Amino acid sequence: MLTDVQAAHDSRGVPLDEVGIEGLRYPVLVADGQGAKRETVATATMAVDLGPEAKGAHLSRFIEVLHGSREQLTPATAAGLADELRLHMGSDRARVHLTFPYFLEREAPVTRARAFVEYTCSITARSSVAGTQLAWSVEVPVTSVCPCSKAISDRGAHNQRGHITIEVKGADHTSGPWFDELIDIAEAAASSPVYALLKRPDERHVTMAGYDNPVFVEDMVRNVCQVLSDCDRIAAYRVRAVNDESIHNHAAYAAITWSSPRGV
């Protein structure tokens, strides 16, 4: 029998908040808003607490747990992943954080040409004896036209690329607007979405549509909040909008954090 050094007793009496793995890239299937699964590669951080008497954690078990859940990532299965890790490791607390590119096929507004747009998404699940907490987020590229520039210029207005990040917690730790819905909310809050494929008629349409819908970063955050605050499936959220300013040497941003009075 091989010696299990990690299972040995440690005499220093020092508990550790987290022990685990990070930077692991692993293929997963993520549930989308249409009832299908999307293949992607997640970068995983997985950790548990370690009691003062334990020498170390069995890191191979982290991979076993992740592999067993990789076929269908939903709010419920992500929460279950953290619970399973905690129980499998015999720990009081566990945390799982997965970040991955999420691709949606988008249609150009005039020619209807189709191509995939990439969004950065993440899931964070925390499990303890008191229960499980789950949060997920999207980072959505957008464009915005400056209302002030439009108002003071004889012609034209400066516009820029930016992104809107939305992080939510479901009302029951498993339900809530999933990635597709959050992406749609973010894109609708900006002057225009970002497209992967645009023909000349599409570029003309997007340019004029953005000019007709100028927004500050403050506007984008408030536009998102108006939608999320009316959703009873959300217990808490954080929204952050950032513009990489085209005529300034700084970025502009706005942010808000909200929690339901009903509690998380």
Side-chain angles (χ1 to χ4, degrees), residues 57-77:
H58 293 82
L59 300 186
S60 62
R61 296 177 183 174
F62 290 87
I63 314 299
E64 292 174 343
V65 171
L66 178 59
H67 186 78
S69 300
R70 64 167 296 272
E71 293 291 334
Q72 175 79 327
L73 277 178
T74 67
T77 61

Side-chain angles (χ1 to χ4, degrees), residues 197-232:
L197 175 59
L198 293 173
K199 299 295 188 178
R200 280 174 293 178
D202 302 310
E203 289 189 16
R204 179 178 184 274
H205 175 89
V206 169
T207 300
M208 294 190 298
Y211 184 81
D212 291 338
N213 184 34
V215 288
F216 295 120
V217 286
E218 298 94 331
D219 296 316
M220 292 192 288
V221 167
R222 287 168 171 153
N223 289 341
V224 173
C225 290
Q226 280 189 308
V227 179
L228 295 183
S229 296
D230 290 335
C231 180
D232 59 8

Side-chain angles (χ1 to χ4, degrees), residues 65 106 121 187 215 237 242 262:
V65 171
R106 293 311 207 194
C121 298
E187 290 181 338
V215 288
Y237 65 74
V242 179
R262 299 185 299 272

Side-chain angles (χ1 to χ4, degrees), residues 115-198:
F116 285 98
V117 177
E118 178 183 353
Y119 307 90
T120 300
C121 298
S122 69
I123 303 171
T124 302
R126 299 177 184 273
S127 175
S128 71
V129 292
T132 305
Q133 294 183 333
L134 185 70
W136 56 97
S137 70
V138 296
E139 183 179 302
V140 181
V142 295
T143 62
S144 64
V145 175
C146 176
C148 181
S149 175
K150 178 180 177 179
I152 64 176
S153 300
D154 292 336
R155 57 186 180 276
H158 84 79
N159 61 85
Q160 52 272 317
R161 285 278 300 274
H163 60 267
I164 298 173
T165 302
I166 306 174
E167 181 180 358
V168 302
K169 293 181 180 178
D172 61 0
H173 307 307
T174 58
S175 68
W178 198 228
F179 297 124
D180 302 51
E181 189 174 348
L182 293 177
I183 290 168
D184 288 341
I185 291 170
E187 290 181 338
S191 295
S192 173
V194 168
Y195 298 88
L197 175 59
L198 293 173

Side-chain angles (χ1 to χ4, degrees), residues 85-105:
L85 179 63
R86 178 176 63 84
L87 296 174
H88 194 49
M89 300 295 287
S91 300
D92 292 330
R93 299 185 304 276
R95 178 174 68 92
V96 176
H97 177 75
L98 304 174
T99 300
F100 45 86
Y102 186 78
F103 291 90
L104 291 180
E105 192 175 27

